[in-house]
Amino acid sequence: YNPLGWSRTEVLRLPVTVSAKVYGPDGNLVDSDIYTNEDEVKTIAFQVEIPPLGFSTYFLVSSPREDFEADHKDATDIGITLENKYISVFIDGRTGRLASIVDKES
């Protein structure tokens, strides 16, 4: 619910136990991401738009379990490396935390 006189856009995060797809108020598929936080709780995140002085209804529809497990293995096992000619940064795929920073010039 949005009690304000202007539209709001927020990222909604909900704990989930199964893989899910999100559909917006218009019935169209909404981009979403499922991740595991540091407490090992699987969470789905998606952007919602709420009209002024109103509400929006989004629908979560479960999808096949094997997709859910496969997505998490890929996301948590790999991590992300960002680098340029000066530094290299590694972000742990399981926790989302900064794991290392390497100064390439030293």
Side-chain angles (χ1 to χ4, degrees):
Y1 175 71
N2 179 11
L4 304 174
W6 54 87
S7 296
R8 291 181 55 199
T9 301
E10 301 287 338
V11 174
L12 183 62
R13 294 173 181 86
L14 301 169
V16 292
T17 56
V18 297
S19 179
K21 293 181 181 182
V22 180
Y23 292 89
D26 56 4
N28 291 326
L29 188 63
V30 174
D31 289 335
S32 62
D33 188 26
I34 296 177
Y35 63 93
T36 304
N37 66 17
E38 62 270 1
D39 296 326
E40 300 298 322
V41 175
K42 292 182 175 113
T43 304
I44 189 167
F46 56 96
Q47 185 171 310
V48 297
E49 295 180 21
I50 311 163
L53 302 172
F55 63 92
S56 295
T57 303
Y58 289 78
F59 300 92
L60 293 173
V61 178
S62 65
S63 60
R65 180 83 182 164
E66 57 272 4
D67 292 344
F68 188 54
E69 294 301 325
D71 287 346
H72 288 290
K73 287 178 185 167
D74 291 342
T76 59
D77 290 345
I78 297 174
I80 299 171
T81 301
L82 304 170
E83 64 182 301
N84 61 23
K85 64 182 182 178
Y86 304 108
I87 64 169
S88 176
V89 176
F90 180 73
I91 299 171
D92 186 301
R94 189 179 67 76
T95 64
R97 294 182 178 169
L98 181 63
S100 70
I101 299 176
V102 176
D103 182 357
K104 291 181 170 182
E105 293 189 331
S106 62

